[in-house]
Amino acid sequence: MGLATDLGYHHRSPGAFQRAIQAFASSRPGAWVFSKLLRHLDAVVLRVTRGQHTAPGLLAGLPVLDLTTTGRKSGQPRTSHLISVPVGDDLAVLGTNFGQPRTPAWVLNLEADPRAVVTYQQRTVEVVARPASPDEVREVMERARAIYGGYEKYQQRISGRRVRIFRLEPAPAAR
């Protein structure tokens, strides 16, 4: 059993409407719009559905997990809603930040402290994040393209920074 199995994390094939939303979200204007509005829209969807659905899940057919890191400056818990890529029995997360120029804060937090907690559909697991090896990066990117084409487009637009990819594995005490 691995992290993906423990959480019941999986991707379904998106419908026509969801593919259209994915295409818009992966475009430069769409990525900008979603980078500014998605967390607010997601908060509404989560509240209305009592935590059963997320905006990316409904709109784009993409499952979202919550990654809670420790703020590198504040020491406080910081939760980010992320799409994850199943790799073997584990999960990977990509620091694309919708193709925006800045590295997402959760990436910097994981680099400072790799211990985190992931939650998906009310299942929670303590994890340790580690940077993906070059071979793993290639595998994650192949799998990511099959799940959401925006990842590749985001990576093409990003300049001046390296996209960090992490493998999330159950924490040793959680195994």
Side-chain angles (χ1 to χ4, degrees), residues 126-148:
E126 292 181 16
V127 298
V128 175
R130 64 171 177 78
S133 71
D135 288 339
E136 289 172 327
V137 166
R138 284 188 286 280
E139 180 182 8
V140 169
M141 287 309 299
E142 281 179 34
R143 291 176 188 264
R145 274 191 291 278
I147 292 168
Y148 174 54

Side-chain angles (χ1 to χ4, degrees), residues 72-168:
R72 69 193 180 287
K73 295 179 183 176
S74 70
Q76 299 299 309
R78 302 291 183 216
T79 301
S80 301
H81 305 293
L82 302 173
I83 298 161
S84 185
V85 177
V87 179
D89 285 337
D90 295 318
L91 295 172
V93 288
L94 294 82
T96 59
N97 199 20
F98 295 94
Q100 305 300 308
R102 295 183 64 181
T103 298
W106 64 263
V107 166
L108 302 173
N109 291 343
L110 282 181
E111 289 177 337
D113 181 355
R115 296 170 297 156
V117 174
V118 293
T119 303
Y120 178 70
Q121 296 183 340
Q122 287 126 12
R123 293 182 185 133
T124 299
V125 176
E126 292 181 16
V127 298
V128 175
R130 64 171 177 78
S133 71
D135 288 339
E136 289 172 327
V137 166
R138 284 188 286 280
E139 180 182 8
V140 169
M141 287 309 299
E142 281 179 34
R143 291 176 188 264
R145 274 191 291 278
I147 292 168
Y148 174 54
Y151 282 128
E152 187 171 31
K153 291 179 182 178
Y154 295 162
Q155 196 154 24
Q156 290 169 355
R157 287 198 300 265
I158 294 170
S159 62
R161 74 174 175 93
R162 178 177 52 88
V163 173
R164 273 85 128 202
I165 297 175
F166 294 90
R167 291 281 301 255
L168 303 177

Side-chain angles (χ1 to χ4, degrees), residues 27-110:
S27 71
R28 188 179 298 273
W32 184 85
V33 166
F34 279 109
S35 74
K36 305 299 182 204
L37 300 179
L38 187 59
R39 73 173 165 215
H40 304 294
L41 178 60
D42 206 26
V44 171
V45 171
L46 284 165
R47 187 172 47 253
V48 168
T49 65
R50 295 186 178 110
Q52 296 299 308
H53 298 283
T54 64
L58 293 174
L59 295 173
L62 296 169
V64 173
L65 59 77
D66 289 340
L67 174 71
T68 302
T69 60
T70 300
R72 69 193 180 287
K73 295 179 183 176
S74 70
Q76 299 299 309
R78 302 291 183 216
T79 301
S80 301
H81 305 293
L82 302 173
I83 298 161
S84 185
V85 177
V87 179
D89 285 337
D90 295 318
L91 295 172
V93 288
L94 294 82
T96 59
N97 199 20
F98 295 94
Q100 305 300 308
R102 295 183 64 181
T103 298
W106 64 263
V107 166
L108 302 173
N109 291 343
L110 282 181

